[in-house]
Amino acid sequence: MAAPAVLRDVFLAHQQHWGQEDGGYLFEDPAGPLPRIDVLVYRPTAKIGLTMFSTIGMSARPMPATPGQTGQSGGSSRSELQFSRRGSLSERAENSIARQLANLAVHPFRAGTQLDWGHLIGLGQEFPTFPGCHSVFLSGPLAENARDYWQTCEGPVRILNVIPITDRERDLGRALAPLQFAQTLLERVDILAERPA
């Protein structure tokens, strides 16, 4: 079965913006809400010392509308996830992170809700390679020149940046407005590396 046109558009947008991926992981569940999720991996270079991950598959269909909600702020109910981690990773660590991202991509369809910037999600386990981080914060662009969406035949597909957070950080995130929480995190910790014990 051919991939939906929206996924081809997302894939081509990745290639235009980031170039050819260095690797990837495929997760298939023909009976699930998303039959296929690819997680692309871009490994560190001399210029960029990050391992970057991006899902393709979550935007195959709109996320379910939450009762009383007409769509995400900004008007897009299709999204994909991005995640960056400082340094190189083993193949096992890459696979674990890709699997966690694929599980997060399916979450809104299993829970019957939408995900958006500012949301906090408990994982019930540590995020791979981030000891003590049992939750994630979904953020908009984290740098001035970062993209906030991919343009596709189905309209904009919002980019949700995944930031692992500790239980203490999650408590702080519940007390602050999302933008204030994101700024506080950026001031206090390196969100691209595991937290000091």
Side-chain angles (χ1 to χ4, degrees), residues 18 22-23 39-44 48-54 82-85 87 89 101:
W18 283 350
D22 297 309
V39 182
L40 305 182
V41 180
Y42 299 84
R43 298 192 178 102
I48 301 172
L50 301 173
T51 302
M52 298 181 292
F53 298 79
S54 192
Q82 281 187 181
F83 171 74
S84 296
R85 168 81 160 78
L89 296 167
L101 293 174

Side-chain angles (χ1 to χ4, degrees), residues 7-186:
L7 298 185
R8 287 194 301 273
D9 289 350
V10 170
F11 178 74
L12 291 173
H14 275 85
Q15 291 213 317
Q16 289 172 356
H17 187 69
W18 283 350
Q20 179 72 35
E21 70 276 8
D22 297 309
Y25 296 87
L26 168 63
F27 300 94
E28 293 182 293
D29 182 3
L34 298 173
R36 175 184 174 138
I37 299 171
D38 290 274
V39 182
L40 305 182
V41 180
Y42 299 84
R43 298 192 178 102
T45 65
K47 187 177 176 183
I48 301 172
L50 301 173
T51 302
M52 298 181 292
F53 298 79
S54 192
T55 63
I56 298 181
M58 185 178 177
S59 61
R61 50 188 276 221
M63 288 183 277
T66 303
Q69 183 180 13
T70 57
Q72 290 184 297
S73 55
S76 176
S77 62
R78 292 179 194 260
S79 294
E80 293 289 354
L81 304 173
Q82 281 187 181
F83 171 74
S84 296
R85 168 81 160 78
R86 203 168 296 289
S88 297
L89 296 167
S90 69
E91 185 178 342
R92 183 176 179 176
E94 277 187 5
N95 184 288
S96 295
I97 290 171
R99 184 172 305 282
Q100 181 65 75
L101 293 174
N103 286 335
L104 277 171
V106 174
H107 172 77
F109 302 97
R110 294 206 187 280
T113 188
Q114 291 192 15
L115 296 180
D116 201 354
W117 296 340
H119 285 183
L120 301 165
I121 303 165
L123 303 175
Q125 61 186 14
E126 289 181 332
F127 192 96
T129 77
F130 279 77
C133 293
H134 298 93
S135 304
V136 295
F137 172 65
L138 302 181
S139 172
L142 296 168
E144 223 175 280
N145 60 348
R147 298 186 69 110
D148 57 352
Y149 68 91
W150 302 115
Q151 190 57 40
T152 73
C153 62
E154 293 289 345
V157 169
R158 179 168 282 195
I159 298 168
L160 304 174
N161 292 287
V162 176
I163 303 171
I165 56 174
T166 64
D167 294 341
R168 211 164 149 197
E169 290 165 349
R170 186 177 186 187
D171 290 343
L172 181 62
R174 289 179 173 145
L176 299 176
L179 185 56
Q180 188 181 8
F181 177 55
Q183 290 170 336
T184 301
L185 273 180
L186 290 170

